[in-house]
Amino acid sequence: MGNVNSKKYVLVLDAGTTSVRAILYNREGKVCSMAQKETMQFYPEPGWVEQDPQEMLSALLGVIMEALTRIRATTDDVAAIGVANQRETTIVWNKNTGEPVYNAIVWQCRRTSDLADELVKKGLEEPIRKKTGLRVDAYFSATKVKWILDNVEGARQAADNGDLLFGTVDTWIVYNLTAGKVHITDYSNASRTMLFNINTLEWDNDILKELDIPMSMLPEVKESSEIYGYLEYEQLGGKDKVPIASVIGDQQASLFGQQCFDEGDAKITYGTGCFILMNTDERIVFSNNGLVTTIAWGIDGKVKYALEGSIFVAGAAIQWLRDSMHLLDDSFDSEYLAMKSTDSGGCYVVPAFTGLGAPHWDQYARGTIVGITRGTTKSHIVRATLEAIAYQVVDVTHAMMEDSGLDLTHIQVDGGASSNDFLMQFQADMLEKIVRRPGDVEATAMGAAYLAGLATGFWTDISEIRALKSEARHFEPSMDKDERNKLYKGWNKAVKYSYSWAKDDDE
Ligand code: ADP
């Protein structure tokens, strides 16, 4: 292997739900090249979502080549490879042939809802939560693995013979990049399977037995920043051995990429939905408000934990204004339209299109608009919709502070809708905290880059990483306290009108 000091880049492979990307970072933490390719999703039945693991790999190989050739680089210029991935998505393959026995079952897939309900009926919700930090749900990998073993012909027998391997997307990628030599995952991804005990840091025998999943299928669980193996992909050429040196789930990757290294640091990603994670350091905090407890990362012999909450509808509400209501031509225009009024005119939009998540947890809630008068304008509705995103974030962060007893010290934002200055200012006002938006909002890939760079000496330590941070803008709270309390009180009233709407009145 060439000397790490002579290497120019860290290569990040970001395997998302709809696309894969390869990004090359230089020593200053700047993006030097990037290539992206969409991957297909299949919907064989309503509510089912699948991907082709082989397509994912060939797309990945394509983007690696493209990102390198764009800047006339080869793998010999690469100090380390880091992987950030969509979480929970489940792949099972035969270790003798390397062939998947079934498509990847994507995190969004609801086919195993009944299996999850059965676990709850058996009274296992609380024991599973204590062990894994998660709410029993089809979303996590556990019931998806069981479904494959129970439904794919010959799978159960092959698993019992020790011929099958399970992995999340990170595991599948590392296994293939190392020509089948390395079968690993990291703590952050393991903590999303609902099979991993986050207290003892081991796969949980009781849950495996309950679901009839053999231990022999499971990957070895490693830190998020260490050398797992070396790239052995002939098509990529190169003389030097390139270490694969980080693996981390996408939301945790963005927490690291946003440099939320300390207790109380939080990041909010404003995409279609919203993901909020708060670092609780080495402390496992179980939530009384329906948040999940997750492993943030493992590095230097230590495991850090986080509380995680998500909002189902965030940017999606702006898409709805654009595509269904035709109030906007572009999501970007929401800012200008919202600023045309000085307030929402007493109007509240509750975008509970598919129910409400933490801390409300009402699957029967539906969207509503309240407080409409003859004076309500398009601008008021647009503004109220943006404000609703911020109010939902406040609900979740309040729950996090209550559960952890921690104050939010540092709030970093990223994701498509974080570019909206009105939304960010309103968010700072409602949280009564400074909201910080970095120059590079691709925090997920950045996190994997930092972790791979740290494992290989490309960057020496966290203080060197801290110096790479670029803040484009921060938003300071400036709203009068009484005004803030009045607005939030209105939201709390409005959100109650959406509760239980889809329930049959006779129930
Ligand atoms: P995802 O990764 O979930 O696909 P992105 O991070 O790309 O999402 O963000 C896209 C979402 O952000 C869309 O729902 C879009 O409506 C919303 N969005 C993008 N730009 C803005 C903006 N300037 N103001 C408000 N919402 C926006």
Side-chain angles (χ1 to χ4, degrees):
M1 184 180 17
N3 184 332
V4 70
N5 294 322
S6 67
K7 306 285 181 184
K8 295 191 196 124
Y9 310 111
V10 167
L11 168 62
V12 171
L13 310 179
D14 179 2
T17 310
T18 53
S19 71
V20 294
R21 302 187 305 160
I23 306 173
L24 286 157
Y25 287 93
N26 67 12
R27 230 170 262 274
E28 285 71 54
K30 294 275 173 296
V31 174
C32 297
S33 183
M34 208 263 278
Q36 178 161 10
K37 191 167 192 308
E38 304 257 309
T39 47
M40 285 200 289
Q41 292 206 324
F42 307 102
Y43 308 97
E45 288 190 31
W48 291 29
V49 190
E50 297 179 3
Q51 279 182 300
D52 176 354
Q54 302 288 19
E55 187 211 347
M56 199 187 289
L57 281 182
S58 56
L60 210 49
L61 188 60
V63 291
I64 296 172
M65 284 185 181
E66 197 181 329
L68 287 169
T69 41
R70 265 198 189 154
I71 51 167
R72 296 167 194 269
T74 72
T75 54
D76 287 344
D77 298 310
V78 175
I81 297 176
V83 177
N85 60 288
Q86 53 163 307
R87 308 174 302 172
E88 297 106 11
T89 296
T90 299
I91 306 172
V92 174
W93 65 95
N94 186 306
K95 72 176 181 193
N96 305 312
T97 63
E99 287 292 322
V101 300
Y102 192 78
N103 269 342
I105 302 186
V106 177
W107 57 274
Q108 297 145 318
C109 185
R110 303 303 306 169
R111 83 183 64 191
T112 52
S113 298
D114 290 350
L115 272 174
D117 289 347
E118 269 172 41
L119 294 174
V120 173
K121 268 194 213 116
K122 283 187 180 168
L124 293 172
E125 184 155 34
E126 205 42 31
I128 289 181
R129 196 171 82 102
K130 283 264 146 58
K131 287 176 166 185
T132 66
L134 307 173
R135 295 164 58 87
V136 169
D137 198 286
Y139 185 80
F140 306 108
S141 318
T143 55
K144 300 181 195 299
V145 184
K146 180 171 169 58
W147 188 92
I148 292 177
L149 297 184
D150 288 347
N151 290 279
V152 176
E153 208 189 321
R156 169 74 57 198
Q157 187 62 49
D160 289 343
N161 292 345
D163 289 334
L164 297 191
L165 299 178
F166 152 72
T168 38
V169 167
D170 54 308
T171 308
W172 171 245
I173 290 172
V174 174
Y175 185 83
N176 283 282
L177 291 184
T178 58
K181 292 207 171 83
V182 177
H183 183 227
I184 59 102
T185 187
D186 86 307
Y187 288 119
S188 72
N189 277 295
S191 76
R192 313 297 297 184
T193 58
M194 216 173 83
L195 297 170
F196 192 68
N197 187 321
I198 62 169
N199 308 275
T200 60
L201 302 178
E202 283 166 346
W203 295 116
D204 190 83
N205 258 321
D206 297 337
I207 304 176
L208 289 170
K209 221 179 262 158
E210 174 64 38
L211 294 172
D212 210 0
I213 299 171
M215 180 74 91
S216 59
M217 292 179 72
L218 303 180
E220 191 183 343
V221 185
K222 300 280 212 174
E223 293 199 347
S224 317
S225 176
E226 65 173 272
I227 297 177
Y228 316 109
Y230 295 87
L231 181 67
E232 288 194 30
Y233 229 54
E234 273 173 20
Q235 295 95 315
L236 290 170
K239 299 187 302 295
D240 294 347
K241 280 167 72 179
V242 186
I244 301 171
S246 78
V247 153
I248 185 158
D250 53 11
Q251 295 307 323
Q252 288 96 326
S254 102
L255 190 69
F256 200 87
Q258 288 272 27
Q259 306 205 358
C260 295
F261 301 140
D262 301 317
E263 186 175 60
D265 290 353
K267 72 97 193 184
I268 309 170
T269 301
Y270 298 84
T272 312
C274 220
F275 280 97
I276 306 164
L277 271 79
M278 179 172 77
N279 185 328
T280 60
D281 204 62
E282 291 178 62
R283 195 156 63 99
I284 300 179
V285 176
F286 289 106
S287 172
N288 295 317
N289 291 294
L291 303 171
V292 303
T293 309
T294 205
I295 297 183
W297 49 75
I299 183 170
D300 295 335
K302 289 203 177 92
V303 165
K304 302 273 179 132
Y305 295 87
L307 271 175
E308 175 171 329
S310 50
I311 294 163
F312 307 142
V313 178
I318 306 301
Q319 283 169 313
W320 169 74
L321 290 181
R322 186 191 62 196
D323 303 337
S324 303
M325 296 291 106
H326 302 287
L327 296 183
L328 315 165
D329 290 328
D330 192 301
S331 301
F332 179 79
D333 297 338
S334 60
E335 180 169 345
Y336 148 80
L337 274 164
M339 305 275 270
K340 273 176 75 172
S341 314
T342 49
D343 57 34
S344 67
C347 173
Y348 287 87
V349 174
V350 184
F353 302 151
T354 53
L356 285 166
H360 310 283
W361 289 112
D362 182 353
Q363 58 172 322
Y364 298 103
R366 289 296 177 270
T368 185
I369 304 179
V370 295
I372 301 172
T373 66
R374 181 64 185 83
T376 301
T377 63
K378 169 163 138 174
S379 163
H380 288 137
I381 300 279
V382 172
R383 187 172 174 123
T385 308
L386 284 169
E387 289 177 354
I389 300 176
Y391 289 131
Q392 294 183 89
V393 168
V394 174
D395 291 345
V396 172
T397 49
H398 280 181
M400 280 181 172
M401 291 196 277
E402 194 184 304
D403 286 335
S404 64
L406 293 170
D407 195 14
L408 285 182
T409 39
H410 205 96
I411 300 166
Q412 295 285 141
V413 297
D414 54 56
S418 73
S419 65
N420 189 311
D421 289 352
F422 164 76
L423 174 60
M424 293 302 105
Q425 182 57 51
F426 191 76
Q427 190 70 79
D429 287 336
M430 283 297 130
L431 287 172
E432 295 180 284
K433 302 276 179 205
I434 299 176
V435 165
R436 298 176 192 279
R437 185 173 65 197
D440 174 8
V441 287
E442 292 289 352
T444 299
M446 195 73 248
Y450 288 158
L451 290 161
L454 284 169
T456 50
F458 187 75
W459 289 303
T460 8
D461 53 25
I462 291 277
S463 64
E464 197 179 337
I465 300 277
R466 284 193 200 269
L468 301 176
K469 189 167 182 172
S470 71
E471 180 178 294
R473 198 164 161 191
H474 70 271
F475 299 84
E476 293 195 22
S478 62
M479 190 183 279
D480 171 73
K481 212 175 176 63
D482 290 342
E483 175 68 5
R484 182 204 167 272
N485 290 343
K486 191 176 114 211
L487 288 175
Y488 190 53
K489 210 168 145 196
W491 164 257
N492 281 318
K493 194 168 158 192
V495 85
K496 299 223 159 54
Y497 283 101
S498 74
Y499 281 5
S500 303
W501 186 261
K503 241 187 194 152
D504 197 334
D505 285 339
D506 299 333
E507 275 178 44

